[in-house]
């Protein structure tokens, strides 16, 4: 019984560490897209796959800003 609890704690820690690593990468992707709120780390960390998809579906604010600047410079 104690052996099973040890395995459970070990694999739970591995899963938690992996989830943290992926959430940190998703947060860096959100920052590259122009979003700096901590919620873009928390969504992937707690929601896993749905949170990853939320971050990946974010529009790129930097691209939108550059398009607006191009339009303004043409006027």
């Amino acid at each position: 019984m104690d052996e099973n609890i040890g395995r459970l704690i070990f694999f739970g820690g591995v899963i938690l560490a992996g989830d943290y690593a992926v959430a940190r990468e998703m947060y860096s992707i959100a920052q590259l897209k122009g979003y700096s709120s901590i919620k873009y780390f928390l969504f992937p960390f707690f929601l896993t796959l749905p949170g990853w998809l939320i971050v990946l579906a974010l529009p790129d604010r930097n691209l939108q800003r550059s398009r607006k600047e191009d339009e303004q410079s043409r006027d």
Side-chain angles (χ1 to χ4, degrees):
M1 183 79 175
D2 292 333
E3 195 174 298
N4 290 336
I5 291 173
R7 288 180 185 166
L8 182 64
I9 291 172
F10 174 75
F11 288 116
V14 169
I15 290 171
L16 192 62
D19 189 27
Y20 175 80
V22 172
R24 192 177 61 203
E25 286 301 313
M26 289 292 131
Y27 182 61
S28 68
I29 290 170
Q31 287 179 322
L32 289 173
K33 290 183 172 189
Y35 298 87
S36 60
S37 175
I38 193 68
K39 68 183 176 182
Y40 298 110
F41 170 80
L42 296 175
F43 285 160
F45 184 75
F46 289 112
L47 300 178
T48 60
L49 182 61
W52 305 344
L53 296 175
I54 289 170
V55 171
L56 293 175
L58 290 171
D60 191 343
R61 284 184 175 172
N62 300 324
L63 182 61
Q64 292 173 350
R65 286 184 190 136
S66 66
R67 285 182 182 169
K68 285 182 183 179
E69 290 172 0
D70 287 344
E71 289 175 3
Q72 289 175 353
S73 65
R74 290 180 190 167
D75 294 338

